[in-house]
Amino acid sequence: MKDKNIKKIVLAYSGGLDTSVIIPWLKENYSSCEIIAFVADVGQSYSSLYNIETKAMQSGASSCYIVDLKDDFVKNYIYPVLQTGAIYEGNYLMGTSMARPIIAKAQIDLAIKLNADAVCHGATGKGNDQVRFEITYAALAPQLKVIAPWREWKLRSRESLIYYLKEKGIPNDISIKKIYSRDENAWHISTEGGLLEDTYNVTNKDCWVWTTDPSEAPNEPEQVTLNIKKGEITAINKKELSPLQCLKTLNIIGSKHGIGRIDIIENRLIGIKSRGCYETPGGTIMFKALRALEQLVLDRESFKWREQLGHEMSYLVYDGRWFTPLRESVQAAAKVLSEQLTGEVVMSLYKGNAIAIQKTSVNTLYSKDYSTFEEDDVYDHTHADGFIKLFSLSSKIRALKKAK
């Protein structure tokens, strides 16, 4: 039974298949409601946003709002996560996960501004995004009703969605034969569905959008210099750029060399395993450059702590728990460590590989005088004797006990 008190709904609208169906479905099932399309510009391609307002109106929306979130997304969502070293299950740089909180927050801001009664999203009942959207709704605007069509309607496949649009006379450019679910923003593009649903199928060219096949990438490596200040990339090849422009520049360079491709099976929050092809060219370069700089700057225990922070942050972000005290706490701890991450890293890009080949920092803890294999006059080897005796004392005591 639909809530008759709902008069105005703000839909997170992407212009894709699901949300194109949701607008006429809402009009059909919430007949007295005004449907407002909210479009978050988080750096997706021009083609994704082209004519999107007209498309929303043709689907039945009363209005469409496009909000530019690109700079905010990179500076206040991507960089804080990047500084923690978070990477989900050792592979995924969480492009979709990081974008959902900022999208949901901007959607809520618009809903409150327009005095809407409800917010709506197009996430399926099988995925992670339903959780990410709705945790944000609950944290920031618990008074708003939440509508999740995939948990209400009887449509159960991409094919049925296409037929629904056809019945309603709403144009779309998605075919049944070649169906992929894609998510794109400034950080990455993901591809799911289609042939990827069989884990033994090898990917083809249709599964990759941004990056060159590494086997077809240039035969000569390219070096790119990243300048980093307090854990943020500030310049590429000595040219100072905004956080967003740094990422865009590295996306272009990295894509050419096939950097940042992964084909993985991941554990979704709700318990289902899913396969996805992710392309994060610029992000992969940035991630590896920061980790390379950490090798110079962080002492052993600080590095260990940063790794723990990254592990915790990966689950917080993946699970959509952005607006929580725990995320703020982890981020604050990582920020303290990143205060020392100032320096320069040179990355070599070659056929899908991004390798740090040079690194320097004013805060480096590396000392050639101490680490050299040649003769030195700063390190007394005899000092190691007492250290080892104390470090191994518990093992010695245990062995003595066993001997008795």
Side-chain angles (χ1 to χ4, degrees), residues 48 70 86 158 173 215-216 229 243 306-307 333 365 388 391:
S48 299
K70 295 189 293 292
R158 302 297 187 203
D173 56 3
S215 66
E216 299 175 2
K229 183 176 181 180
R306 203 281 303 148
E307 286 190 307
L365 297 181
I388 295 170
F391 192 68

Side-chain angles (χ1 to χ4, degrees), residues 3 206 222 265:
D3 192 333
D206 293 333
E222 179 176 356
I265 308 292

Side-chain angles (χ1 to χ4, degrees), residues 80-81 84 86 309-317 322 327 330-331:
V81 175
T84 68
L309 292 172
H311 184 71
E312 184 65 36
M313 188 64 138
S314 72
Y315 283 91
L316 286 168
V317 175
W322 186 268
R327 190 274 306 170
V330 171
Q331 183 177 323

Side-chain angles (χ1 to χ4, degrees), residues 326-346:
L326 182 55
R327 190 274 306 170
E328 293 178 3
S329 175
V330 171
Q331 183 177 323
K335 185 173 177 60
V336 171
L337 297 179
S338 68
E339 289 291 314
Q340 298 298 310
L341 293 185
T342 295
E344 182 174 290
V345 178
V346 179

Side-chain angles (χ1 to χ4, degrees), residues 178-196:
K178 183 178 161 184
I179 297 176
Y180 288 106
S181 176
R182 287 197 164 104
D183 177 72
E184 182 184 23
N185 57 49
W187 184 247
H188 90 155
I189 187 166
S190 66
T191 301
E192 296 178 299
L195 70 81
L196 296 175

Side-chain angles (χ1 to χ4, degrees), residues 109-150:
D109 290 342
L110 180 63
I112 292 172
K113 179 181 177 181
L114 299 178
N115 294 313
D117 310 295
V119 286
C120 179
H121 63 76
T124 76
K126 288 184 177 182
N128 301 303
D129 280 344
Q130 59 182 334
V131 182
R132 295 166 184 154
F133 273 107
E134 293 182 39
I135 286 182
T136 303
Y137 298 158
L140 302 182
Q143 74 277 14
L144 294 175
K145 299 284 177 32
V146 177
I147 301 173
W150 268 101

Side-chain angles (χ1 to χ4, degrees), residues 15-300:
L17 178 59
D18 293 28
T19 54
S20 294
V21 171
I22 286 173
I23 292 176
W25 182 86
L26 287 173
K27 289 180 70 68
E28 182 180 343
N29 290 271
Y30 294 82
S31 55
S32 61
C33 288
E34 179 184 356
I35 314 300
I36 298 157
F38 157 74
V39 179
D41 180 0
V42 285
Q44 58 269 54
S45 63
Y46 173 76
S47 61
S48 299
L49 295 173
Y50 175 73
N51 218 26
I52 197 167
E53 185 174 0
T54 300
K55 192 173 182 179
M57 304 295 279
Q58 287 176 342
S59 295
S62 61
S63 57
C64 180
Y65 291 79
I66 303 172
V67 181
D68 187 347
L69 303 173
K70 295 189 293 292
D71 288 292
D72 189 14
F73 176 45
V74 177
K75 183 169 180 58
N76 297 314
Y77 290 77
I78 289 176
Y79 270 33
V81 175
L82 194 58
Q83 288 168 2
T84 68
I87 182 167
Y88 183 68
E89 296 190 335
N91 287 291
Y92 176 36
L93 287 169
M94 300 186 296
T96 298
S97 312
M98 290 189 293
R100 293 305 178 246
I102 189 173
I103 293 171
K105 180 182 182 299
Q107 181 187 7
I108 288 167
D109 290 342
L110 180 63
I112 292 172
K113 179 181 177 181
L114 299 178
N115 294 313
D117 310 295
V119 286
C120 179
H121 63 76
T124 76
K126 288 184 177 182
N128 301 303
D129 280 344
Q130 59 182 334
V131 182
R132 295 166 184 154
F133 273 107
E134 293 182 39
I135 286 182
T136 303
Y137 298 158
L140 302 182
Q143 74 277 14
L144 294 175
K145 299 284 177 32
V146 177
I147 301 173
W150 268 101
R151 302 203 298 260
E152 294 185 31
W153 61 24
K154 299 186 184 303
L155 303 168
R156 284 293 174 263
S157 67
R158 302 297 187 203
E159 290 88 346
S160 63
L161 298 184
I162 292 171
Y163 286 131
Y164 182 89
L165 287 179
K166 187 175 181 180
E167 288 175 0
K168 296 293 181 181
I170 298 172
N172 77 92
D173 56 3
I174 301 171
S175 68
I176 293 175
K177 185 177 180 181
K178 183 178 161 184
I179 297 176
Y180 288 106
S181 176
R182 287 197 164 104
D183 177 72
E184 182 184 23
N185 57 49
W187 184 247
H188 90 155
I189 187 166
S190 66
T191 301
E192 296 178 299
L195 70 81
L196 296 175
E197 292 186 349
D198 184 336
T199 61
Y200 206 67
N201 282 341
V202 178
T203 61
N204 60 28
K205 288 188 176 182
D206 293 333
C207 298
W208 307 101
V209 183
W210 283 5
T211 53
T212 300
D213 185 325
S215 66
E216 299 175 2
N219 291 322
E220 295 297 326
E222 179 176 356
Q223 294 180 9
V224 57
T225 301
L226 284 73
N227 287 98
I228 300 166
K229 183 176 181 180
K230 295 185 177 181
E232 295 186 359
I233 290 83
T234 58
I236 306 297
N237 291 331
K238 308 297 184 179
K239 182 179 180 180
E240 291 190 6
L241 299 167
S242 71
L244 176 60
Q245 288 302 322
C246 282
L247 178 56
K248 282 184 171 182
T249 301
L250 290 173
N251 275 337
I252 293 169
I253 299 171
S255 292
K256 180 174 63 174
H257 293 277
I259 306 299
R261 282 189 174 195
I262 60 170
D263 175 1
I264 62 170
I265 308 292
E266 70 192 68
N267 288 299
R268 289 180 182 171
L269 173 60
I270 65 167
I272 296 174
K273 286 186 180 289
S274 63
R275 182 186 182 189
C277 288
Y278 298 101
E279 298 169 82
T280 319
T284 298
I285 298 168
M286 293 164 73
F287 182 88
K288 292 189 174 184
L290 281 174
R291 305 293 77 83
L293 193 59
E294 285 176 342
Q295 293 171 8
L296 285 181
V297 170
L298 297 183
D299 61 82
R300 183 172 179 264

